[in-house]
Amino acid sequence: TTGAVYLELAKVYFHKKELAEAINYQKKGFQVFAELESADPRYLANIAVTLSEWCEKAEDFNEALVSLRKAEHIYESAFGVMDKKTCKIKRNISLLLLKTSKYDEALEELMEVENLERSLYGDKSIQVGKTYKIIGTLYIISNKPEEARNALLRSLRIFEARGQHKLIKEVMGKLKMLGSSVVIGGSNRDEISHHEDSQEEEIQ
């Protein structure tokens, strides 16, 4: 089909490191399959997610977010909000918002992710602990120390119960930062958000 040809061309250009052309053909492929009533929602959502990743690589963060929102809509329409795939997409969206310094939007998205993860995985799951850790980081960036401490302590309790030593160390470092009453600003904000994104990019 035409859509499949577009997607194959997109892969070719991506491997040739010609991102602009790869993104162009990926968009065309997505459009073709989106117009097919018989299109598998998982397949269609994966096209959108790949497009988002490529746009992010090209530092077109607005387009990356648009594509992730499309994937989110596809999953919600096909499987509902209370679905692990939907939850993962929402988590991806929150991390992209964090990366682009849209902290209020990221926090709002993460609050929804937290509620979903608690229902899907349980209150003491690693997923919930990681989300509390990101929320704590966002509160640090926003200079809300009490809220940050509460979120980080929640994540710490989960990680301690799960024996997650690396994550425990990371949370302790953030709590120590709060204890030193450091005012987060300028480059420190960038450093924290970049670190958090790199630590959490493996979506559970």
Side-chain angles (χ1 to χ4, degrees):
T1 65
T2 304
V5 171
Y6 284 147
L7 294 180
E8 282 303 314
L9 284 170
K11 289 179 184 177
V12 170
Y13 280 112
F14 180 76
H15 289 304
K16 290 170 66 177
K17 302 189 186 304
E18 296 182 28
L19 264 182
E21 285 298 319
I23 289 168
N24 180 44
Y25 280 108
Q26 190 77 1
K27 284 181 179 178
K28 288 182 177 181
F30 176 84
Q31 192 59 43
V32 170
F33 282 105
E35 292 172 0
L36 297 176
E37 291 184 9
S38 60
D40 181 343
R42 291 183 181 85
Y43 182 69
L44 188 59
N46 283 338
I47 296 172
V49 170
T50 298
L51 178 57
S52 175
E53 291 170 354
W54 291 357
C55 287
E56 187 175 350
K57 193 177 285 285
E59 298 188 353
D60 189 346
F61 299 113
N62 287 332
E63 278 298 315
L65 188 57
V66 166
S67 296
L68 274 186
R69 291 290 188 193
K70 287 178 180 178
E72 177 187 35
H73 177 71
I74 292 165
Y75 277 125
E76 284 187 352
S77 298
F79 309 112
V81 175
M82 197 60 64
D83 178 83
K84 290 182 179 180
K85 287 284 188 183
T86 304
C87 187
K88 288 177 183 179
I89 292 295
K90 288 180 178 294
R91 177 177 259 272
N92 272 321
I93 288 170
S94 69
L95 293 175
L96 187 56
L97 289 167
L98 173 61
K99 189 170 186 177
T100 54
S101 301
K102 296 177 181 176
Y103 301 126
D104 290 340
E105 292 177 55
L107 184 59
E108 184 178 341
E109 198 77 38
L110 281 166
M111 292 298 188
E112 187 175 352
V113 169
E114 177 208 338
N115 288 328
L116 285 174
E117 288 177 338
R118 283 165 59 189
S119 297
L120 289 166
Y121 304 109
D123 291 344
K124 306 301 182 184
S125 65
I126 297 294
Q127 288 88 345
V128 171
K130 287 184 175 183
T131 297
Y132 281 139
K133 183 164 76 75
I134 307 174
I135 290 172
T137 301
L138 278 169
Y139 279 134
I140 292 174
I141 293 169
S142 302
N143 288 321
K144 296 180 178 179
E146 284 307 310
E147 291 91 338
R149 186 173 287 104
N150 289 337
L152 292 172
L153 286 173
R154 285 181 177 181
S155 70
L156 183 62
R157 283 193 288 270
I158 291 172
F159 296 150
E160 285 177 340
R162 293 281 184 158
Q164 296 291 313
H165 301 296
K166 181 182 177 184
L167 291 170
I168 290 170
K169 184 177 179 181
E170 290 175 12
V171 174
M172 291 298 290
K174 293 176 187 295
L175 286 168
K176 186 177 180 181
M177 183 187 300
L178 280 171
S180 64
S181 301
V182 174
V183 176
I184 306 301
S187 61
N188 285 331
R189 287 177 181 245
D190 298 332
E191 182 180 344
I192 289 176
S193 62
H194 174 75
H195 173 72
E196 199 65 43
D197 178 70
S198 65
Q199 289 295 322
E200 300 295 338
E201 62 188 3
E202 76 295 345
I203 306 305
Q204 298 294 325

